[in-house]
Amino acid sequence: MTLLARLTPGARAALLVIAVGALCMALDRSANWLPGWPDALTLPMTQWVGDGLEWVFDLIRPGVRLISALLEYPMAGVNWLLTETPWPLVLGATVALAWYAGGLSMAALASVGLGFVLISGYWVEGMNTLALVFVSVPLALILGLLIGIWSNESPRARPWIEATLDLMQTVPTFAYLTPLLLLFGFGPVVGLIASAIYAAPPMARNTALGLQRVEAEVKEAGIMAGATRAQQLIQVEIPAASTQIMIGVNQALMAALSMVIIAAVIGGFDDIGWEVLLTMRQANFGQSLLAGLVIVVFAIIIDRISARMATSGQRFDLRISWIILGVSVVAAIAAWALLPPPGDFALLAPTVEAVDSGLSQFTRGAGATLDSIKNNAMFYGLLPLRIGLDSAVLPFTWGFSWTPGMSWIYYGVAGLIGLGVALTGRITLGASLVILAGVFETGISELPWPVVFVGVGALAWVSGGWKLTRLVVILLLFIAIAGLWERALLSLYLCGAAVLICAVVGGLLGLLSAVSATAWAVIRPVCDMLQTIPLFVFLIPVLMFFQIGEFSALLAIIAYAIVPMIRYTRHGLVTTPAELLEAATSSGATKWQTMKEVRAPYAAPTILLGLNQTILYAFAMLVIAALIGTTGLGQSIYIALGSANVGLGIVAGAAMAILALIADRIVQGFAEERRRALGL
């Protein structure tokens, strides 16, 4: 057996990447086509897609505009109902529903939350936002329910449906808006339709999952009773899957609220999302923070009530709900003429002014420290990762210039370290250290395209074999041929930096939460809050302290994407079977040895799934972060939205979805391999 055959797949893949990287370095001076994708191999795909979609849009626009006009009626009706109904009645109805779903604590949450919205002065804007949500959600629920039933009923169509749902959930949110803007025109209907489309996949997935999990005995009982297929589905299987379907309703509600806020970028209606965007652009951060908190309050109330109704069968005394509603009706009627407009309740205006004043004083006093944190992170971390040490090390920042001789010394030291690790038997780790050193010296955005193709393809081969490798290479080829290669690498750089930090910090916090109940009691509510906040709101605090730039975008991405890493790491570590822990204890293992040798290996598949979710969250936030000055595909999508360039919006959105899909498939492959190794 040859030496190569004795190497593990990971070692062979890593050595291949090193060989290709060394060849590219040797050819660097003579081959000017290596640093970036050759222009000669680029196709005007953006133009083709734009022209093709414009042709299609011209054909269907009259029918679509008719649908848009029809949708304006229910939207206007719900909007009128919410804005014109006296606020005590809206508040009372919400509190009554909250009591029925969750009792006193839930009712208190709803009353305090809506009370905050009232005194914020954003009651009307909040009702406008809820009107869009309440009209879009039924559309999403009907569409998702039908798709989920279709997936359950047609095994042949199921793979295609699941692939389409994967694509819909990985396509950036902004990419939905560009074609819809051209189809439906300017106005709130675009937000409504985008919200319904974006919220349908969670409903479809949970419907299909719930129907697939209905026990065979339940299905057989329906058949034995002589039910037709339609009767069995409607009267037996859907009720049996109701818990999972209600989880889909909860997720659809949250997705719709998030998308409505994002749709405010195109303007056209006076809602909370537009208020956040407008005040952020004006650097009025106190007001922006207040509007953002209103969004958070709505998200928390909707999430808690719908989640409780989805996961708990307990319901509280309906008579008290009727009493609460009755009291609110009496209060509304009695004080009808005395009630001032809701917008006049802006009792927090002095607080907003105090926040702005305090923030101004803080930034003046700590401005040098904040700038130092941002600049150090950029000069000594992000910039080398982006353009490499050979370009980032300058006298202005580092105090000296990077020379070719330093590159040789750097690679020599990295090679010796890698060789030393490899001689201990960990060849894959040693080779990987050399690859990482090369990436940091060259920079992700400056990597030769053959290295990226071979590197990602090799990783896919180790994860999922040749089938996944072919898929990954074809998808990367699409990005390159479309002329988006450089922008894709910029997106990969910022997303990679955020995911790396999330993996380290989130993993450590998950470990701490697993070993300390006190730590988890503190960390859990923070995670709950971060998962409830719509993406838009994450931009506000980072802008308040660090202004526009890549560092602010990085912090926003980390804040949004770190939660899955914490939750999955903890869950994996605390769910180790008791018999494995008893065996480790009986063999005399210490707590640290048990964690390292038993818990961590068993939790590896779950932790990898957490990493997978973190990557998808990071890509989702990366597009929103384009609002505060990032480069790459997210910026292209945002520019396409502003210029109504449907071709660029669709192709750049597809490229972003491809990067997320590649990462998803590779990480899932490694997780599946670990599950097989553990016999799960």
Side-chain angles (χ1 to χ4, degrees), residues 41 54 131 181 186 202 234 271 305 412 507 520 564 567 642:
L41 300 179
E54 285 285 358
L181 187 63
F186 187 78
I234 296 172
D271 73 333
I305 293 177
W520 180 234
R567 287 191 180 278

Side-chain angles (χ1 to χ4, degrees), residues 4 14 39 71 74 112-113 153 205 224 226 232 256 271 316 379 385 420-422 433 464 473 482 535 549 626 652 672:
L4 184 63
D39 291 337
L71 287 174
V112 171
E153 296 297 298
R205 286 190 181 280
M224 294 297 292
Q232 181 181 348
D271 73 333
F316 289 78
F379 292 146
L385 188 62
V421 173
L433 291 176
V473 171
L535 283 73
E672 182 61 30

Side-chain angles (χ1 to χ4, degrees), residues 505-515 565-567 569-570 573:
V505 177
L508 291 175
L509 290 175
L511 173 62
L512 178 62
S513 301
V515 300
M565 198 67 210
I566 298 173
R567 287 191 180 278
T569 300
R570 178 192 174 275
L573 293 174

Side-chain angles (χ1 to χ4, degrees), residues 280-304:
M280 279 199 308
R281 287 173 173 171
Q282 296 172 344
N284 188 356
F285 292 121
Q287 202 68 37
S288 181
L289 183 62
L290 180 62
L293 289 175
V294 171
I295 296 174
V296 173
V297 166
F298 280 140
I300 291 175
I301 292 174
I302 292 173
D303 177 62
R304 295 298 184 269

Side-chain angles (χ1 to χ4, degrees), residues 320-675:
I320 296 181
S321 294
W322 283 113
I323 291 172
I324 295 172
L325 186 59
V327 170
S328 67
V329 170
V330 172
I333 295 174
W336 191 286
L338 302 177
L339 286 176
D344 293 350
F345 279 93
L347 304 180
L348 296 179
T351 305
V352 169
E353 294 177 2
V355 169
D356 276 331
S357 175
L359 181 63
S360 298
Q361 293 179 5
F362 176 79
T363 52
R364 281 196 299 268
T369 302
L370 295 175
D371 287 341
S372 176
I373 293 172
K374 179 172 66 175
N375 292 335
N376 286 332
M378 287 296 302
F379 292 146
Y380 305 117
L382 292 179
L383 205 57
L385 188 62
R386 178 179 177 177
I387 60 175
L389 289 170
D390 57 352
S391 299
V393 176
L394 299 171
F396 171 71
T397 54
W398 290 64
F400 62 92
S401 295
W402 190 269
T403 63
M406 291 180 180
S407 292
W408 287 109
I409 295 173
Y410 175 85
Y411 279 118
V413 172
L416 289 175
I417 293 174
L419 180 62
V421 173
L423 290 176
T424 64
R426 294 173 290 180
I427 299 176
T428 303
L429 177 59
S432 298
L433 291 176
V434 174
I435 293 172
L436 291 176
V439 170
F440 204 65
E441 198 274 342
T442 305
I444 292 177
S445 67
E446 303 295 324
L447 285 173
W449 61 266
V451 173
V452 178
F453 269 85
V454 172
V456 179
L459 198 61
W461 176 71
V462 176
S463 169
W466 287 111
K467 184 177 180 180
L468 181 58
T469 303
R470 286 193 298 269
L471 174 64
V472 164
V473 171
I474 291 171
L475 292 176
L476 287 177
L477 195 60
F478 169 83
I479 296 176
I481 291 176
L484 298 173
W485 185 254
E486 288 77 12
R487 280 174 271 187
L489 290 184
L490 288 172
S491 296
L492 193 62
Y493 130 77
L494 191 58
C495 189
V499 169
L500 177 62
I501 295 172
C502 287
V504 175
V505 177
L508 291 175
L509 290 175
L511 173 62
L512 178 62
S513 301
V515 300
S516 171
T518 303
W520 180 234
V522 174
I523 293 172
R524 181 177 182 177
V526 176
C527 290
D528 290 342
M529 183 190 68
L530 291 176
Q531 282 198 306
T532 307
I533 297 175
L535 283 73
F536 224 103
V537 182
F538 283 93
L539 304 182
I540 300 173
V542 295
L543 281 178
M544 290 169 61
F545 297 108
F546 296 104
Q547 289 78 48
I548 289 175
E550 283 189 353
F551 182 67
S552 296
L554 177 73
L555 293 180
I557 295 169
I558 292 170
Y560 180 67
I562 197 172
V563 175
M565 198 67 210
I566 298 173
R567 287 191 180 278
Y568 279 79
T569 300
R570 178 192 174 275
H571 179 72
L573 293 174
V574 300
T575 54
T576 308
E579 56 269 19
L580 293 180
L581 298 177
E582 291 173 2
T585 303
S586 61
S587 63
T590 63
K591 289 185 177 180
W592 169 247
Q593 289 173 326
T594 301
M595 179 66 71
K596 180 182 177 182
E597 304 296 337
V598 179
R599 286 192 172 187
Y602 188 87
T606 304
I607 295 173
L608 284 171
L609 290 179
L611 177 62
N612 176 51
Q613 290 297 303
T614 292
I615 293 171
L616 296 179
Y617 276 41
F619 274 112
M621 191 65 198
L622 185 62
V623 183
I624 308 300
L627 291 169
I628 57 175
T630 63
T631 54
L633 293 172
Q635 185 187 51
S636 298
I637 296 169
Y638 185 54
I639 291 172
L641 178 62
S643 59
N645 187 340
V646 66
L648 178 60
I650 292 294
V651 175
M656 184 74 85
I658 284 172
L659 293 180
L661 188 64
I662 289 173
D664 173 68
R665 293 295 183 266
I666 289 176
V667 174
Q668 281 197 29
F670 282 116
E672 182 61 30
E673 186 275 331
R674 289 305 306 156
R675 280 195 294 267

Side-chain angles (χ1 to χ4, degrees), residues 216-298:
E217 294 82 1
V218 175
K219 296 180 180 179
E220 291 172 1
I223 296 173
M224 294 297 292
T228 64
R229 179 58 193 145
Q231 290 173 328
Q232 181 181 348
L233 181 66
I234 296 172
Q235 299 178 14
V236 178
E237 295 183 18
I238 290 179
S242 59
T243 299
Q244 191 69 44
I245 292 174
M246 284 299 298
I247 293 174
V249 173
N250 167 256
Q251 294 180 1
L253 277 165
M254 299 305 295
L257 177 63
S258 178
M259 191 64 188
V260 163
I261 302 303
I262 292 168
V265 171
I266 63 172
F269 46 101
D270 185 22
D271 73 333
I272 289 293
W274 177 247
E275 190 66 27
V276 171
L277 183 64
L278 185 64
T279 50
M280 279 199 308
R281 287 173 173 171
Q282 296 172 344
N284 188 356
F285 292 121
Q287 202 68 37
S288 181
L289 183 62
L290 180 62
L293 289 175
V294 171
I295 296 174
V296 173
V297 166
F298 280 140

Side-chain angles (χ1 to χ4, degrees), residues 300-321:
I300 291 175
I301 292 174
I302 292 173
D303 177 62
R304 295 298 184 269
I305 293 177
S306 59
R308 178 63 66 90
M309 296 189 74
T311 58
S312 175
Q314 183 183 11
R315 297 291 179 264
F316 289 78
D317 195 339
L318 188 59
R319 291 171 297 179
I320 296 181
S321 294

